[in-house]
Amino acid sequence: MEAEIIVQLIRRVLKKNINIHMEDKIIDLGFSSMQMVQLAVSLEEHCDCEITPDVMAKISTVSDLVELIS
Amino acid sequence: MNSFNFIRLLEEYANGKSQGKHIFLNPRKNVSKKVSHASLIRRSFGFSYQLSDAGINKGDICYIVSNNQETQLICFYAAIASGAIPMIGAQLPRFGAEDEVSNKIAYWKKLYGARLKVISENELKTNSIIIDNINSLPDALQPASRMNVKEDDILYLQSSSATTGSPKAISVSHKNIFTNIRQIKKGLDANDNETFVSWLPLYHDMGLVGAELFSLICDYDLILMPPYEFTRNPEIWLETIFSYKGTITAIPSFATDYVIDRIETVSDVKLDLSSLHSVCIGAEPIRMDSLEKFYNFYSRYGLKKNALVPCYGLAESTLAATFKPSRTLPKSLLVLQNSIKRGEKVELTSNDSNNAIRITSVGELVENLRCDIVHNNKVIKNDLICGEIYLRGPSITQGYMHDPGFISLLPNNTLSTGDIGFMYKEEIYILDRDKNIIIMNGVNYIASEIETFVAELLCVEKRNVIVFENQINIKEKKIIAVVEVRNNYQPGDDIKKLIEKICTSSIVNEIHFISRGFIEMTSSGKKQYFLARKKFEIGEFNIVNICSRSM
């Protein structure tokens, strides 16, 4: 369930319907710096948590994102 | 500000000779933390003893890794007080940035070896000195290291933004910083009681010198908010100016468009920006239409047009080299595109046609700084002649530190800026960086102007467009526009017509549509042209579609 949410959020921010795998590195999905921040904001709105730059720095893969909102 | 001894200034502040303060904001938690300059320096001095105990020696280079601005500053001043040379590491708010930080540390470690010491809040993948609770640091009135400071001693290292290659560490001396701060104060016609509001990152020279060191040395109040919070919600920056009656602020040029794009639709904002006398705008080419758009929107909230201050500077000149003269309006000139040739006079025009481009003045030189416009090793004396900008003066830094203790000196103490421009009536007009000027049939074209043209026609963001020369085969030189689009992008007939227009009415030969995320920026948001050209040459762009004049 969370995995599906993450995939949808990523696609919405990227505005493209790409294939996303859990082991994908977020940085390889084609985000600009601004889109990275947009994704963090979307995640915060969704899971009602704070995602600081320190938290972002430690999250590397899609799977890490799923774990974050689980 | 008369002596060139930064340690002495810190000692005076620690002992109470200061009225100013920092206010560190955390807008999301609605927290503001007031810290007097005196308290900040006392805790920094306290931490300097811990650094000495941890093995920091005189001349070591302290690389600071933190996202917390108060921590960054304590580490910065503590490193100075322990006899070391600090450098604040760039950390962008990106997923997976921990790996980027590790790579950067490895890069500097390769240059500086055992002399590089890392200070961080957390355990990193490398040995580092940990700073854990900045609020419980002991106060001290004296620095850990007693030093006989000479004015040319290196105070700190500023990492260049790597627009044209690998990052370099620029060595800034005590004399450089005091000189440039005095120049900035005079250039902005600032008084003794200013309030600076900044969201700029402290690893960037505009944030470190323009906001932090300017406010500290002049003993102003400085309101600092994390850059990340500005990116999330730029309105917070303007609300803070309103709340604290900010008088000075500074932004890179892209921020005017960014703010307008993000909040133009908000109609019910409570703001008063009439307290501002200087909104310094620089770091990138400045577009007059962006300034006009920003002013047209915020004039209703009391923003004065003469408060918009285009300026020009480089880390190699400590920071500031020019400012728009205070209390004047920003100026620009319309010049004929095909008259821009190095060593020749640009032609002014009053006709805003396709062949005319508007160049914004970045103002007059700061005091005691000399500027030469140079072409073919000859200094050009006349107005409106294009050439490379050379700067000389006491704020020009000594050079780059490639090894500990070794600085590659700038020849004749003269900085060849790599920027192309001309003088007109005592003011400087910058066309672009040398490497971003495209020469075609003897005419110089400005890459950023073509990017604007392409972006506007194709209705994409300018940051998603990059234009450069294909240098694979000089005989068949082509001008390539690379546009970031979604992966399944297929240009329709309407777009093909626009592409035809671009290729017939500009020098662009081909437009390559690529996947998003391939145009790389420096930590200060500048496009990395050399990297784009290299990626293009080795076929590293994920090309979605190619269109050309002959399609």
Side-chain angles (χ1 to χ4, degrees):
Chain A
M1 183 65 181
E2 279 84 4
E4 186 54 32
I5 291 165
I6 291 293
V7 168
Q8 293 302 331
L9 287 177
I10 291 173
R11 284 180 178 156
R12 197 187 306 159
V13 172
L14 283 174
K15 294 178 185 156
K16 59 185 179 186
N17 197 18
I18 55 168
N19 288 326
I20 298 166
H21 307 285
M22 287 301 106
E23 65 276 16
D24 284 346
K25 283 197 166 185
I26 301 163
I27 205 159
D28 293 336
L29 295 176
F31 285 98
S32 67
S33 296
M34 297 295 186
Q35 286 173 326
M36 286 258 189
V37 176
Q38 280 174 29
L39 179 62
V41 172
S42 302
L43 286 163
E44 284 182 338
E45 284 166 359
H46 182 80
C47 66
D48 197 24
C49 61
E50 189 181 356
I51 300 176
T52 62
D54 282 336
V55 173
M56 289 174 79
K58 288 185 174 64
I59 293 172
S60 179
T61 63
V62 176
S63 164
D64 294 339
L65 279 180
V66 174
E67 201 177 308
L68 177 80
I69 69 160
S70 297
Chain B
M1 287 227 293
N2 288 327
S3 76
F4 298 134
N5 186 336
F6 192 72
I7 303 279
R8 189 181 300 156
L9 179 100
L10 295 183
E11 283 177 344
E12 287 173 0
Y13 278 20
N15 287 281
K17 198 182 166 188
S18 160
Q19 301 295 316
K21 61 183 173 298
H22 286 73
I23 298 178
F24 297 98
L25 296 184
N26 185 337
R28 266 188 289 173
K29 289 188 176 162
N30 205 16
V31 170
S32 64
K33 182 180 177 187
K34 282 184 192 174
V35 179
S36 68
H37 294 340
S39 162
L40 188 82
I41 302 307
R42 279 181 206 141
R43 277 185 294 147
S44 302
F45 280 179
F47 187 50
S48 74
Y49 288 87
Q50 294 182 20
L51 290 182
S52 293
D53 291 345
I56 297 275
N57 295 309
K58 194 174 180 219
D60 280 349
I61 292 140
C62 287
Y63 189 79
I64 299 160
V65 181
S66 170
N67 270 313
N68 179 294
Q69 292 167 314
E70 190 180 0
T71 305
Q72 286 174 328
L73 292 177
I74 286 177
C75 293
F76 182 81
Y77 296 124
I80 291 170
S82 66
I85 302 167
M87 173 162 59
I88 300 178
Q91 267 190 293
L92 297 174
R94 292 167 69 91
F95 289 108
E98 210 166 62
D99 292 339
E100 290 177 24
V101 171
S102 301
N103 291 341
K104 281 195 185 114
I105 291 171
Y107 173 82
W108 294 113
K109 203 106 191 165
K110 201 173 166 189
L111 277 184
Y112 300 141
R115 300 293 291 274
L116 187 85
K117 307 282 168 55
V118 179
I119 312 175
S120 69
E121 288 170 302
N122 309 302
E123 290 290 348
L124 299 169
K125 290 171 187 168
T126 181
N127 287 334
S128 57
I129 299 165
I130 305 292
I131 176 165
D132 47 12
N133 188 352
I134 51 173
N135 295 316
S136 63
L137 288 169
D139 279 357
L141 297 177
Q142 299 292 330
S145 175
R146 304 299 296 169
M147 286 162 276
N148 181 21
V149 173
K150 299 185 197 72
E151 62 182 29
D152 287 329
D153 285 351
I154 301 171
L155 180 62
Y156 67 92
L157 295 178
Q158 174 68 56
S159 172
S160 68
S161 58
T163 317
T164 55
S166 302
K168 297 183 191 111
I170 298 153
S171 53
V172 181
S173 71
H174 291 251
K175 183 181 175 183
N176 291 148
I177 195 68
F178 279 102
T179 303
N180 204 223
I181 296 304
R182 187 160 51 207
Q183 292 167 329
I184 293 170
K185 191 175 181 188
K186 192 165 182 190
L188 294 178
D189 196 18
N191 60 35
D192 291 333
N193 190 26
E194 303 283 0
T195 301
F196 202 119
V197 175
S198 176
W199 57 266
L200 296 169
L202 292 167
Y203 60 75
H204 193 275
D205 53 350
M206 213 169 171
L208 181 61
V209 181
E212 170 60 27
L213 293 172
F214 176 52
S215 301
L216 187 95
I217 292 174
C218 295
D219 205 16
Y220 296 151
D221 286 352
L222 171 63
I223 292 87
L224 277 175
M225 68 182 73
Y228 176 66
E229 298 300 335
F230 169 82
T231 315
R232 287 172 52 93
N233 180 8
E235 210 173 348
I236 288 171
W237 166 55
L238 297 164
E239 286 172 0
T240 305
I241 291 167
F242 169 44
S243 303
Y244 290 90
K245 295 190 169 45
T247 57
I248 306 176
T249 189
I251 49 172
S253 318
F254 82 85
T256 52
D257 288 334
Y258 184 69
V259 170
I260 289 292
D261 289 348
R262 289 292 299 267
I263 60 180
E264 197 171 11
T265 51
V266 179
S267 55
D268 194 23
V269 188
K270 202 175 176 186
L271 281 179
D272 180 358
L273 303 175
S274 60
S275 58
L276 280 172
H277 68 73
S278 296
V279 182
C280 302
I281 302 164
E284 297 162 11
I286 300 163
R287 292 175 53 81
M288 188 52 104
D289 56 354
S290 296
L291 295 189
E292 294 280 1
K293 210 170 161 189
F294 188 77
Y295 168 71
N296 287 340
F297 187 73
Y298 285 105
S299 57
R300 77 193 73 174
Y301 299 111
L303 178 69
K304 297 184 276 284
K305 196 168 190 178
N306 63 13
L308 299 178
V309 184
C311 50
Y312 168 65
L314 307 90
E316 286 88 343
S317 67
T318 307
L319 175 65
T322 71
F323 285 108
K324 182 208 73 172
S326 64
R327 304 191 210 309
T328 64
L329 296 176
K331 293 190 194 103
S332 65
L333 291 173
L334 259 185
V335 305
L336 287 175
Q337 168 84 60
N338 57 13
S339 71
I340 301 174
K341 293 175 187 170
R342 274 179 235 194
E344 295 192 19
K345 188 173 183 177
V346 296
E347 282 180 47
L348 302 183
T349 177
S350 54
N351 183 4
D352 199 353
S353 66
N354 282 346
N355 190 29
I357 55 170
R358 188 170 289 283
I359 311 291
T360 308
S361 165
V362 291
E364 297 175 347
L365 288 163
V366 294
E367 68 170 357
N368 296 326
L369 191 66
R370 291 278 308 278
C371 170
D372 287 328
I373 305 291
V374 176
H375 177 64
N376 282 345
N377 297 322
K378 284 183 187 155
V379 175
I380 298 158
K381 300 284 182 195
N382 301 333
D383 269 5
L384 295 172
I385 310 281
C386 269
E388 189 181 346
I389 293 165
Y390 280 58
L391 297 173
R392 266 179 299 141
S395 59
I396 302 299
T397 58
Q398 294 169 33
Y400 307 106
M401 186 188 271
H402 297 303
D403 297 303
F406 175 77
I407 297 169
S408 65
L409 295 171
L410 297 169
N412 305 320
N413 246 4
T414 301
L415 173 65
S416 126
T417 63
D419 290 320
I420 302 296
F422 58 84
M423 299 282 293
Y424 183 64
K425 294 185 178 173
E426 305 292 318
E427 297 197 18
I428 295 181
Y429 293 76
I430 310 280
L431 295 165
D432 213 340
R433 284 206 59 82
D434 193 9
K435 290 175 183 172
N436 304 343
I437 294 253
I438 297 167
I439 306 169
M440 198 75 175
N441 301 324
V443 178
N444 290 7
Y445 294 90
I446 301 165
S448 65
E449 289 292 329
I450 306 170
E451 285 160 10
T452 304
F453 176 66
V454 173
E456 283 175 358
L457 269 183
L458 297 180
C459 294
V460 296
E461 296 280 334
K462 197 182 159 192
R463 64 186 159 84
N464 295 120
V465 181
I466 190 164
V467 173
F468 52 86
E469 286 168 286
N470 162 22
Q471 294 178 333
I472 296 171
N473 186 337
I474 297 298
K475 284 181 188 168
E476 292 177 19
K477 190 158 75 175
K478 287 179 181 173
I479 307 302
I480 309 294
V482 170
V483 183
E484 287 183 331
V485 291
R486 61 182 190 276
N487 264 356
N488 56 355
Y489 181 80
Q490 284 293 334
D493 288 343
D494 51 339
I495 295 292
K496 283 182 180 170
K497 276 183 193 162
L498 292 174
I499 290 167
E500 191 69 34
K501 187 177 175 188
I502 291 166
C503 292
T504 49
S505 60
S506 78
I507 57 166
V508 172
N509 300 104
E510 290 180 4
I511 300 183
H512 291 231
F513 294 98
I514 65 164
S515 297
R516 288 202 174 125
F518 278 81
I519 297 177
E520 296 205 29
M521 308 275 191
T522 67
S523 57
S524 56
K526 292 173 187 163
K527 288 173 189 162
Q528 293 191 299
Y529 286 87
F530 77 100
L531 210 54
R533 189 176 292 117
K534 194 173 158 193
K535 278 185 173 185
F536 183 82
E537 282 176 7
I538 61 176
E540 211 178 89
F541 282 136
N542 185 14
I543 293 175
V544 177
N545 212 311
I546 301 176
C547 297
S548 66
R549 202 171 296 184
S550 55
M551 68 187 178

